[in-house]
Amino acid sequence: MRQPLSPLEIARHVRDAQRGSQAAFAWLYRAFAPLVHAIHLGRAPHAHAEELAQDTFAIAFAQLGQLREATQFGPWIAAIARRHRGRIGADEESLRENHDRASPAAGPDDRAEAERVLHVIRVLPQAYRETLLLRLVEGLSGPEIAALTGLTAASVRVNLHRGMAKLRAALGLAAAPEETADVHTP
Amino acid sequence: MSTPRDPLWSPDQPGDADLARLEQLLGRYRHVPSEAPMPKVSTALPRRHWRRPLAFAAGGVAAAALAVAIWLPWRLRWTADAPWPVTVDVPALAPALAVGDTLQTGAGQHARVAIARIGALEVSPQTRLSLIETRSGHHRIALETGHVHARVWAPPGAFGVLDGGAEVIDLGCVFDLWKRADGSGRLAVGSGWVMHSEGGRETLVPAGHALDFGPDHAGLPLRPAAPAAFAEAVTALDHALREGHRDHDAETRSAELATSDDAFTLLSLLTRYPTLADGPLYPRLADAIGATPPDARHRAAWASGSIHAINAWWDRMPRPPKQWWRNWRDVVL
């Protein structure tokens, strides 16, 4: 498993970026792009999410001097991403073309099924939606999600398990025992 | 906190077939760093020798914010029943409009009435209106006949026009209201949003749309530039449904003639008559707002009148801003 980011590492890069280091900006972008992208993907079509993620970083980097708690970069940029919804009504057809180019091996059935799953995730509550997208779309582990979002490991685990249980139920899939073992779904 | 086996927590551990399938399906949406270059960073971050000008600028902003903080509450405050100032182009009218007073403009006579301190009414010739109520946060006139052009900058609901059993409520905007002696008329919104409320039925009218109304009913918001045939079809369908029957020909024509700019009209139509969702208007609206592919469960829920299903598509439309003060252009333009 990859090592999650440490708060000290995040804080150091934030302070370097606040002093104008391009390398630090690039590090922050690489590290937090999955988080920002997942938040936008939870509410916007795929190609639009990429564009919104770019916008979010542009906004965040322009305001970076206002961030006082350098270790809180993740929750801070996540809040900016949630506020930044961009223009509604992207061209779905053009977005699908982009989407297909990104996955040439995928057939039309896979695509339809993927869209259906994504649609189900999008209607989940925010905490479950974002955590599940970080896990299933961005491929991050629980500790990595906790480091990016600033949530405790326990909160991330609960969000993952409850979200996954809801997703399985909505898709008509069988529940996994380890997902319901330590959590009581309300 | 870790458990012996948890593939959801640790992707390195093998999960069940469903989890693997979901990962494979959704992995296609993953953020690809190489395709998304880092946004350009303007590195002009604050340095020591910038601090003094920044401090002056911050002081200026703080002073302006303080001035606004004082001015804004003053602007919204109004002594109950205090008369509204009136400006006329011929000195035949009273210089103020008190509660209970009626303002009547003659042929060729214009008047400008201040709506307390929150806006202004331009009153056209041959118009008759009365001031019903005025106090902080609540100002109401009655328009008996004629035309007014209203420009308001205030929280939603602060200004309204009574029209028999109906009410036109400003949600922070610019609008025109015409009223004929027989009770019919038209509401046209130039900026922001207006709510037309009649007999418990509320119709939102956004900028760029107009709504025709009669003495006991309100039509649907339509773009003045919408194709005439589309407007006729929508009006005929609305009329038929009010009479208790469904005009399938008008319904089909409405769907066929609608353009993507008419999405709000279709949404209003389907909201007023949810059962129409089982016909051609639902897929046409889905196409217009980019809600494809159509979802059969959502459609069935809509047709059965589910508020949740209807709201899901309303959420796709631009809505009145919660921060009414963002419509500051309504004051100056």
Side-chain angles (χ1 to χ4, degrees):
Chain A
M1 195 190 298
R2 289 167 301 202
Q3 281 299 310
L5 302 175
S6 78
L8 289 178
E9 195 179 12
I10 295 169
R12 179 166 59 81
H13 283 95
V14 167
R15 282 193 289 269
D16 287 349
Q18 286 175 327
R19 285 192 286 266
S21 163
Q22 289 291 331
F25 279 120
W27 186 92
L28 289 170
Y29 176 69
R30 279 196 307 275
F32 286 90
L35 169 65
V36 174
H37 178 254
I39 291 170
H40 287 302
L41 185 64
R43 300 182 308 191
H46 177 223
H48 199 189
E50 293 284 1
E51 183 186 321
L52 287 169
Q54 294 276 308
D55 290 349
T56 297
F57 274 100
I59 293 166
F61 286 166
Q63 299 175 357
L64 192 61
Q66 300 168 16
L67 177 61
R68 294 282 169 258
E69 293 286 333
T71 55
Q72 296 300 304
F73 182 81
W76 179 72
I77 197 168
I80 293 174
R82 291 184 195 111
R83 282 198 300 270
H84 179 58
R85 304 195 68 142
R87 182 179 57 84
I88 297 171
D91 180 348
E92 290 279 350
E93 287 307 314
S94 67
L95 301 183
R96 285 213 183 91
E97 286 170 19
N98 272 342
H99 161 78
D100 283 346
R101 277 202 299 274
S103 54
D109 291 344
D110 277 1
R111 190 185 76 185
E113 192 179 351
E115 285 180 0
R116 188 169 72 92
V117 175
L118 191 57
H119 175 76
V120 172
I121 293 177
R122 280 179 175 148
V123 298
L124 292 176
Q126 177 187 302
Y128 301 159
R129 179 176 71 230
E130 292 178 0
T131 314
L132 273 188
L133 289 173
L134 285 166
R135 170 64 183 84
L136 299 175
V137 173
E138 308 297 346
L140 302 182
S141 67
E144 287 176 306
I145 296 170
L148 284 185
T149 57
L151 294 172
T152 63
S155 296
V156 171
R157 190 187 293 273
V158 167
N159 289 344
L160 273 177
H161 287 185
R162 288 188 179 170
M164 192 66 189
K166 284 179 180 291
L167 177 60
R168 284 185 194 268
L171 295 173
L173 303 175
E178 68 270 15
E179 286 162 16
T180 50
D182 63 342
V183 207
H184 300 288
T185 306
Chain B
M1 176 71 198
S2 63
T3 53
R5 185 181 169 283
D6 187 353
L8 205 51
W9 181 256
S10 309
D12 296 343
Q13 296 176 5
D16 63 283
D18 288 334
L19 176 58
R21 175 70 175 151
L22 289 172
E23 287 176 321
Q24 180 219 332
L25 283 172
L26 295 175
R28 75 188 57 205
Y29 297 118
R30 185 167 299 174
H31 170 70
V32 185
S34 60
E35 287 189 1
M38 192 184 84
K40 279 192 181 297
V41 181
S42 57
T43 55
L45 292 168
R47 289 169 191 273
R48 189 170 294 275
H49 62 276
W50 284 56
R51 287 185 180 170
R52 184 166 295 178
L54 278 177
F56 280 122
V61 170
L66 183 64
V68 169
I70 294 169
W71 171 75
L72 209 52
W74 171 81
R75 191 175 183 281
L76 297 176
R77 199 179 317 124
W78 190 254
T79 305
D81 297 339
W84 293 357
V86 176
T87 313
V88 288
D89 53 4
V90 286
L93 299 173
L97 183 66
V99 171
D101 283 356
T102 296
L103 175 75
Q104 167 90 55
T105 54
Q109 193 177 37
H110 292 82
R112 179 183 172 86
V113 181
I115 305 170
R117 279 188 284 261
I118 63 169
L121 279 174
E122 302 289 344
V123 184
S124 294
Q126 307 281 27
T127 297
R128 184 177 170 86
L129 61 84
S130 312
L131 178 56
I132 305 298
E133 287 181 271
T134 182
R135 62 177 188 272
S136 297
H138 191 83
H139 310 279
R140 295 292 184 268
I141 65 165
L143 178 63
E144 292 178 38
T145 184
H147 164 246
V148 292
H149 173 79
R151 182 183 292 273
V152 179
W153 191 56
F159 174 67
V161 183
L162 305 177
D163 168 27
E167 189 170 13
V168 171
I169 302 166
D170 165 79
L171 301 180
C173 61
V174 176
F175 67 89
D176 286 89
L177 186 62
W178 291 266
K179 176 87 180 291
R180 300 183 196 93
D182 65 1
S184 65
R186 164 170 279 221
L187 165 67
V189 181
S191 162
W193 294 72
V194 174
M195 172 81 79
H196 185 279
S197 175
E198 183 258 327
R201 170 177 284 174
E202 295 182 334
T203 308
L204 263 180
V205 187
H209 289 70
L211 175 143
D212 289 328
F213 56 86
D216 55 0
H217 75 274
L220 287 152
L222 280 155
R223 287 184 308 120
F230 170 71
E232 285 167 13
V234 168
T235 305
L237 177 58
D238 181 36
H239 179 74
L241 287 162
R242 273 204 319 274
E243 298 292 317
H245 67 274
R246 190 164 171 175
D247 182 340
H248 291 283
D249 177 52
E251 188 178 348
T252 304
R253 280 187 291 123
S254 298
E256 287 174 352
L257 295 168
T259 70
S260 56
D261 292 335
D262 298 314
F264 196 87
T265 301
L266 297 181
L267 181 59
S268 302
L269 190 53
L270 281 160
T271 301
R272 186 175 290 183
Y273 307 109
T275 52
L276 292 176
D278 63 10
L281 290 169
Y282 177 93
R284 182 68 194 88
L285 176 58
D287 184 50
I289 65 174
T292 52
D295 179 336
R297 283 184 304 174
H298 177 261
R299 186 176 190 171
W302 190 308
S304 66
S306 160
I307 296 297
H308 179 72
I310 294 171
N311 281 347
W313 281 12
W314 272 93
D315 287 343
R316 288 171 170 264
M317 310 295 285
R319 304 291 281 278
K322 286 180 182 165
Q323 297 105 337
W324 59 272
W325 39 264
R326 285 189 175 180
N327 284 341
W328 56 270
R329 291 176 187 81
D330 291 351
V331 181
V332 296
L333 299 181

